[in-house]
Amino acid sequence: MNSKLAIVTGGARGIGRGCAHALAEKGFDIAIVDLLVPEMQRTQAEIVAMGRRVEIYEADVSDFARAQAVVGDIHAAFGRIDFLLNNAGKANPKGILEITEDEFDRTIAINLKSCFNYIKAVAPIMLAQEAGGRIVSMSSLNALSGGVTSAVSKHSYAAAKAGILGLTRSLAKEFGPKIPINALCPGVIKTELGNALTRAREPELVKGIALNRLGSPQDVAQMVVFLATSEPCFLTGQHYVIDGFQWSC
Ligand SMILES: NC(=O)c1ccc[n+]([C@@H]2O[C@H](COP(=O)([O-])OP(=O)(O)OC[C@H]3O[C@@H](n4cnc5c(N)ncnc54)[C@H](O)[C@@H]3O)[C@@H](O)[C@H]2O)c1
């Protein structure tokens, strides 16, 4: 029997890289989809050294046709798809007076339509598998509160991330027991690169977080692993906030 296979979009670096590591530690083989080839190769080498199989796919997640092709290639390579983590995303700091129509559309395409693209591609495969499958999509605290980190992200990003919650709830009903699907709403997560504005504001941000620190990719990854592996599973159509209880920023 092949190992379970997890697709991680945006797995080259940051939260996605942390989640790919954590899933590999739990025995998943990994397919990474990203634009950044050298960073994907680094993550691939790290996880291969853990004894797991990793394949990388260069693709823009907002491209529907490419998503169908990539998932077809992944299925052909691994013979199964057990878990999809829709993690790739990009914030947009522009306000309503500055943003162009193209920039708004692009933010929605990268953050929301990308989830549709990959869910549409994996759904027939997971529904046909005896074991079904599971899906988690990366929303944001911004979906619930608007521009929490307003220097980094504003309405277009928050709208896209809120759209993920509607997609998740609706698809939970369509998929039923075969494919539990959930979303995560991280607060401020400190990645290896991080955002310069977030880094500069860290002391101020931390004051508004009950647990007195920013989150890490590992904080998000432990929830991803739980939703990917917990048995029995009675969780679908939900979103989970991972923010150390952040009440002001
Ligand atoms: N870091 C945070 O504080 C935070 C908070 C809430 C939600 N999130 C969400 O978590 C996810 C990961 O964020 P991160 O902080 O690790 O960011 P990051 O920029 O470090 O990583 C994002 C990854 O997605 C990839 N990506 C971006 N656009 C892509 C595209 N069009 N096609 C393919 N790949 C693409 C990037 O190349 C990168 O590897 C994102 O969806 C982000 O919106 C992050």
Side-chain angles (χ1 to χ4, degrees):
M1 176 107 131
N2 294 339
S3 297
K4 286 192 168 187
L5 184 276
I7 299 176
V8 181
T9 73
R13 70 179 192 205
I15 294 172
R17 172 173 165 252
C19 293
H21 273 260
L23 288 162
E25 272 167 21
K26 292 292 172 190
F28 283 85
D29 288 334
I30 309 288
I32 301 173
V33 182
D34 206 297
L35 289 167
L36 306 175
V37 174
E39 287 85 347
M40 275 198 286
Q41 288 169 336
R42 179 195 61 171
T43 305
Q44 179 184 37
E46 291 164 353
I47 297 176
V48 166
M50 296 161 63
R52 302 254 51 99
R53 180 176 173 199
V54 183
E55 301 293 342
I56 60 175
Y57 301 84
E58 183 183 3
D60 182 334
V61 290
S62 68
D63 183 332
F64 178 82
R66 181 84 180 111
Q68 312 316 299
V70 163
V71 169
D73 289 349
I74 293 171
H75 192 225
F78 290 91
R80 57 191 294 168
I81 297 175
D82 300 281
F83 181 59
L84 166 65
L85 177 62
N86 282 313
N87 165 77
K90 196 169 190 304
N92 188 321
K94 291 205 175 171
I96 194 72
L97 299 181
E98 296 85 42
I99 197 166
T100 65
E101 181 187 4
D102 283 350
E103 287 166 341
F104 183 88
D105 288 347
R106 181 77 184 136
T107 307
I108 300 292
I110 295 173
N111 291 286
L112 175 59
K113 183 159 178 276
S114 59
C115 297
F116 165 76
N117 292 344
Y118 279 81
I119 293 169
K120 175 87 174 148
V122 301
I125 296 166
M126 289 183 174
L127 288 170
Q129 288 174 166
E130 178 141 0
R134 296 197 192 181
I135 298 172
V136 170
S137 300
M138 207 61 76
S139 178
S140 168
L141 193 59
N142 284 200
L144 307 173
S145 58
V148 175
T149 53
S150 55
V152 178
S153 57
K154 286 199 176 73
H155 63 278
S156 58
Y157 177 76
K161 294 300 192 182
I164 290 176
L165 304 187
L167 190 72
T168 301
R169 289 185 200 115
S170 302
L171 290 178
K173 294 178 185 176
E174 280 193 44
F175 286 145
K178 269 272 151 116
I179 310 178
I181 175 168
N182 292 285
L184 299 180
C185 296
V188 187
I189 306 298
K190 200 170 160 181
T191 58
E192 71 265 29
L193 284 181
N195 178 289
L197 285 166
T198 304
R199 273 204 307 277
R201 293 177 62 213
E202 184 169 348
E204 173 207 343
L205 290 170
V206 161
K207 282 186 203 149
I209 298 174
L211 295 184
N212 209 27
R213 65 174 175 85
L214 303 185
S216 68
Q218 291 69 33
D219 290 318
V220 181
Q222 65 178 354
M223 197 63 176
V224 167
V225 165
F226 177 73
L227 290 171
T229 61
S230 64
E231 288 292 351
C233 177
F234 199 49
L235 305 170
T236 195
Q238 304 302 314
H239 66 269
Y240 300 93
V241 175
I242 305 168
D243 71 343
F245 193 24
Q246 180 178 323
W247 69 82
S248 72
C249 286

